[in-house]
Amino acid sequence: MKWWDEDRLRRAQAVIDAKTDNFIELFEIGGLDKKRHLRNTDLSGMSFAGLDVRGFDFTGARLHGCRFDGARI
């Protein structure tokens, strides 16, 4: 399977066109799996402040400088 098939391109475009900058909403619009798609990624400097990130798997993710103030973990 190609990395950029039509479904992935459609989901990427939906994220680009989204009228929000809310991480959780964009994650859902993109059709990503919270138990899989953040593992071993570089999320340095991202803000998760005030977000409900329960159930997200950050295993192996680089979280340097991330903000989690008021986040539900």
Side-chain angles (χ1 to χ4, degrees):
M1 174 166 77
K2 295 181 200 175
W3 173 247
W4 287 107
D5 60 22
E6 284 190 40
D7 180 54
R8 288 183 176 152
L9 285 172
R10 179 192 54 73
R11 289 186 285 143
Q13 190 62 55
V15 170
I16 291 167
D17 294 340
K19 303 284 189 239
T20 183
D21 62 357
N22 180 286
F23 175 79
I24 304 294
E25 290 176 30
L26 292 171
F27 203 81
E28 291 171 357
I29 289 167
L32 299 174
D33 180 353
K34 66 183 182 179
K35 296 183 184 286
R36 190 175 68 154
H37 286 114
L38 294 177
R39 292 182 199 155
N40 302 307
T41 57
D42 186 356
L43 301 170
S44 298
M46 289 198 59
S47 176
F48 298 96
L51 298 178
D52 184 352
V53 292
R54 292 176 292 182
F56 281 77
D57 185 352
F58 293 102
T59 302
R62 182 171 167 83
L63 301 172
H64 179 72
C66 287
R67 293 187 48 220
F68 287 91
D69 343 2
R72 292 161 138 203
I73 301 173

